[in-house]
Structures are given as C-alpha cells and as structure tokens.
Amino acid sequence: MRFVPIEHIKENSILGDTIYSVDGVLLANEGIKLTAKLLNKIKENQIFTSILQMNILIQK
C-alpha cells in the first residue's frame, strides 16, 4: 500500500484504508473500487491523499 495524492488516483483503484470526513462520517470502506462519483465526494471533503492497495504483477 502507498499514499497517493487524490488528483493522481484513477477510477477503479482499490482503497487501502477506510476514509472518514472531518466530522467522522464514513465516506468509503477499505477494499472498495473508487468510482468517479466517490472520488469527487472525497475531494469535496478536502481529503488530499489516500492509501491505495497496490497489486504487483511479477512476470517470469
């Protein structure tokens, strides 16, 4: 997992940690695919970085 600025996160990325608003309202659960609508909601709540799960493909 790694921290990624919101403006660099693409749709269908997998969220690596649960995100809450400043008021403690749940915005997104760990492990979900991020949609454009959800990314906008995260930006509206002034969350500037998120943790993404990174899948690494090892080719032989």
Side-chain angles (χ1 to χ4, degrees):
M1 287 189 267
R2 67 179 178 161
F3 283 97
V4 179
I6 290 296
E7 65 268 9
H8 294 285
I9 297 176
K10 296 183 173 135
E11 280 186 71
N12 297 318
S13 295
I14 305 297
L15 189 60
D17 199 4
T18 301
I19 296 178
Y20 296 92
S21 71
V22 209
D23 302 329
V25 175
L26 176 68
L27 296 177
N29 282 316
E30 172 184 353
I32 66 163
K33 281 188 180 180
L34 295 169
T35 63
K37 183 177 178 179
L38 185 53
L39 285 168
N40 286 331
K41 187 175 183 181
I42 291 168
K43 290 175 190 174
E44 288 170 4
N45 279 276
Q46 298 182 350
I47 297 170
F48 302 109
T49 61
S50 183
I51 300 173
L52 297 182
Q53 292 180 354
M54 306 305 294
N55 294 326
I56 300 172
L57 177 63
I58 300 173
Q59 296 180 343
K60 293 183 180 184

